[in-house]
Amino acid sequence: MLTEYIKGAMRRATYEIFEDDGTFYGEIPGFQGVLANMPNLEACRDELQSVLETWIVFRLIEHLPLPIVDGIELAFKIVEEDFDEEEEEALEKVEIA
């Protein structure tokens, strides 16, 4: 599911060449701050995906919303389990929903 989310987001990416220095600029509309600028298109795509992955992890950790991509919604969901009091204080189990 995460791989499909990333692939779907990357399909939304747009690229342009900066004429002044010939570098490639890429961004993903709807993903604020996810952008890259590299010397060639392949490096720009690779960097953009790396930035996207970091952005996703950050937003999940901070419980911030993520755009829905191709019907895939990523969010944190707290899962309650039966723990004794000591375990409850020490553990918080989290899964990606």
Side-chain angles (χ1 to χ4, degrees), residues 50-90:
S50 178
V51 170
L52 172 63
E53 291 167 359
T54 302
W55 186 86
I56 290 169
V57 169
F58 172 80
R59 293 188 69 87
L60 286 172
I61 289 170
E62 295 296 321
H63 301 270
L64 298 171
L66 290 153
I68 296 172
V69 175
D70 297 342
I72 301 169
E73 183 176 3
L74 299 180
F76 262 113
K77 178 177 146 186
I78 305 300
V79 177
E80 302 221 9
E81 293 192 16
D82 293 327
F83 294 112
D84 63 31
E85 285 185 37
E86 189 174 298
E87 288 175 321
E88 281 187 36
E89 291 174 8

Side-chain angles (χ1 to χ4, degrees), residues 1-91:
M1 174 173 54
L2 181 58
T3 301
E4 293 306 315
Y5 184 91
I6 291 168
K7 285 180 182 179
M10 290 298 294
R11 283 192 292 273
R12 297 179 178 191
T14 60
Y15 301 91
E16 65 181 273
I17 301 172
F18 287 148
E19 291 187 24
D20 59 333
D21 64 2
T23 61
F24 286 77
Y25 170 81
E27 65 182 8
I28 304 176
F31 291 74
Q32 185 178 1
V34 177
L35 53 91
N37 183 281
M38 299 298 285
N40 60 59
L41 183 57
E42 184 176 347
C44 188
R45 284 183 182 141
D46 289 344
E47 180 66 13
L48 188 63
Q49 182 169 329
S50 178
V51 170
L52 172 63
E53 291 167 359
T54 302
W55 186 86
I56 290 169
V57 169
F58 172 80
R59 293 188 69 87
L60 286 172
I61 289 170
E62 295 296 321
H63 301 270
L64 298 171
L66 290 153
I68 296 172
V69 175
D70 297 342
I72 301 169
E73 183 176 3
L74 299 180
F76 262 113
K77 178 177 146 186
I78 305 300
V79 177
E80 302 221 9
E81 293 192 16
D82 293 327
F83 294 112
D84 63 31
E85 285 185 37
E86 189 174 298
E87 288 175 321
E88 281 187 36
E89 291 174 8
L91 296 174

